């Protein structure tokens, strides 16, 4: 039988090989399709697609090298050194004093991150949630327009936002409130060579919180303008324009938590 049907026997490996080749080709096509969003899906306003993140040379006219330096944790000793350098350097004193205003004890990213890597990680998270930074920022702005300097109860339905795509597990009972500090937080992306409100030049005095009462999920550190009914700006602007939620630091606004607060969880 083997001799008589040897042709068939010998043909089977070729058929199997063809099937494997077809499967590999299909898998490669699927993988390419899965990555296609990185060059086509518009998710933020200034950085429009994922592939632009790796080619960034500046944000708001500020070179990335300067932004990365500002973003790193700068504790008391670091700040004192900047003060000392400003006092002994007449030529660069003004720029150094400005640099102090743009740094943070805790940092905007952790010591093992960069701004670019933090942005990339958050874009992957938000793509997996099947939404955009623009949409998440719009929801945060809509909620915080109701925030006051005392806990304020709010019933929020994501479906009321124009062009909303988020699923909604019923109207969510939220609680919002803001605290005002004695000084301004200056934007990480502030460009001293531009006008105070030009581009992403911004500074704010309020830190706001949003809590989903039912799920007990909270956003605790949203930088924003105090008591405004229009554009609250602050760190929400970073989300809308760049898809930047800060790195894995104390004041990060995790996009997965934003999603859970708005829709009532992913379960």
């Amino acid at each position: 039988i083997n001799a008589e049907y040897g042709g068939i026997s010998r043909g089977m490996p070729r058929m199997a090989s063809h099937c494997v080749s077809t499967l590999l080709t299909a898998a490669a096509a699927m993988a390419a399709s899965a990555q296609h969003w990185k060059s086509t899906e518009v998710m933020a306003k200034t950085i429009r697609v994922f592939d632009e993140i790796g080619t960034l040379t500046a944000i708001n006219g500020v070179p990335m090298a300067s932004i990365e330096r500002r973003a790193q944790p700068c504790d008391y000793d670091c700040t004192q050194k900047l003060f000392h350098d400003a006092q002994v350097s007449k030529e660069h004193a003004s720029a150094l004093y400005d640099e102090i205003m743009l740094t943070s004890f805790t940092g905007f990213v952790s010591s093992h991150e960069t701004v670019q890597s933090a942005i990339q990680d958050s874009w992957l998270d938000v793509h997996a949630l099947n939404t955009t930074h623009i949409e998440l920022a719009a929801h945060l702005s809509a909620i915080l327009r109701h925030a006051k300097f005392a806990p304020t109860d709010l019933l929020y339905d994501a479906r009321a936002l124009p062009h909303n795509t988020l699923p909604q597990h019923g109207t969510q009972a939220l609680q919002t409130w803001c605290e005002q500090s004695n000084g301004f937080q200056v934007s990480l992306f502030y460009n001293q060579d531009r006008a105070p409100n030009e581009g992403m030049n911004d500074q704010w005095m309020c830190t706001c919180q949003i809590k989903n009462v039912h799920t007990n999920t909270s956003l605790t550190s949203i930088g924003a303008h105090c008591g405004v009914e229009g554009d609250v700006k602050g760190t929400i602007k970073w989300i809308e324009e760049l898809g930047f939620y800060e790195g894995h630091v104390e004041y990060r606004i995790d996009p997965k938590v934003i999603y859970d607060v708005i829709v009532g969880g992913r379960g």
Side-chain angles (χ1 to χ4, degrees):
I1 295 174
N2 287 339
E4 185 176 356
Y5 296 101
I8 297 176
S9 298
R10 288 193 298 270
M12 288 179 68
R14 288 197 295 272
M15 188 188 308
S17 176
H18 174 71
C19 290
V20 170
S21 177
T22 301
L23 288 171
L24 289 174
T25 302
M30 289 176 65
S33 176
Q35 297 301 313
H36 187 58
W37 71 271
K38 292 183 176 181
S39 60
T40 60
E41 186 174 330
V42 176
M43 294 178 61
K45 290 186 175 180
T46 296
I47 304 174
R48 291 177 56 79
V49 298
F50 181 93
D51 282 348
E52 292 178 1
I53 303 169
T55 62
L56 285 173
T57 59
I59 296 175
N60 197 40
V62 182
M64 287 306 300
S66 297
I67 290 171
E68 297 290 6
R69 184 177 64 251
R70 295 174 183 177
Q72 289 297 313
C74 186
D75 60 13
Y76 177 81
D77 291 338
C78 167
T79 304
Q80 289 304 301
K81 182 181 185 305
L82 288 173
F83 268 120
H84 175 266
D85 292 346
Q87 289 169 348
V88 299
S89 174
K90 293 181 180 179
E91 182 180 356
H92 301 292
S94 177
L96 286 167
Y97 281 124
D98 286 340
E99 198 72 11
I100 293 168
M101 296 290 292
L102 296 165
T103 58
S104 163
F105 274 22
T106 59
F108 298 96
V109 296
S110 66
S111 58
H112 64 273
E113 292 178 299
T114 65
V115 171
Q116 281 178 293
S117 71
I119 292 174
Q120 286 173 326
D121 289 347
S122 293
W123 277 62
L124 294 174
D125 286 343
V126 172
H127 175 71
L129 293 170
N130 198 30
T131 183
T132 68
H133 312 295
I134 295 170
E135 182 169 43
L136 293 181
H139 281 295
L140 290 177
S141 293
I143 293 167
L144 287 184
R145 290 189 188 107
H146 300 276
K148 297 178 171 51
F149 296 116
T152 303
D153 294 327
L154 169 68
L155 293 177
Y156 189 73
D157 191 328
R159 293 167 294 192
L161 185 78
H163 311 298
N164 169 69
T165 68
L166 300 185
Q168 185 73 54
H169 304 312
T171 300
Q172 299 300 307
L174 305 180
Q175 192 175 74
T176 68
W177 65 99
C178 294
E179 296 178 352
Q180 185 170 342
S181 64
N182 292 326
F184 286 102
Q185 171 64 56
V186 181
S187 172
L188 170 66
F189 307 103
Y190 201 96
N191 186 335
Q192 293 113 324
D193 296 327
R194 293 183 175 179
N197 294 313
E198 182 181 350
M200 293 188 67
N201 279 7
D202 192 17
Q203 53 187 358
W204 54 89
M205 297 181 69
C206 272
T207 301
C208 299
Q209 302 186 41
I210 305 171
K211 177 182 177 180
N212 187 306
V213 177
H214 176 68
T215 63
N216 201 33
T217 307
S218 296
L219 298 161
T220 59
S221 304
I222 307 170
H225 287 228
C226 302
V228 297
E229 295 183 359
D231 188 353
V232 296
K233 295 185 178 179
T235 51
I236 296 176
K237 196 72 172 174
W238 298 353
I239 295 170
E240 179 184 46
E241 297 291 335
L242 310 170
F244 181 60
Y245 301 75
E246 303 199 30
H248 291 85
V249 294
E250 180 181 350
Y251 295 101
R252 173 174 172 79
I253 312 171
D254 192 311
K256 296 188 291 295
V257 179
I258 296 173
Y259 184 96
D260 290 348
V261 166
I262 294 169
V263 308
R266 282 166 282 169

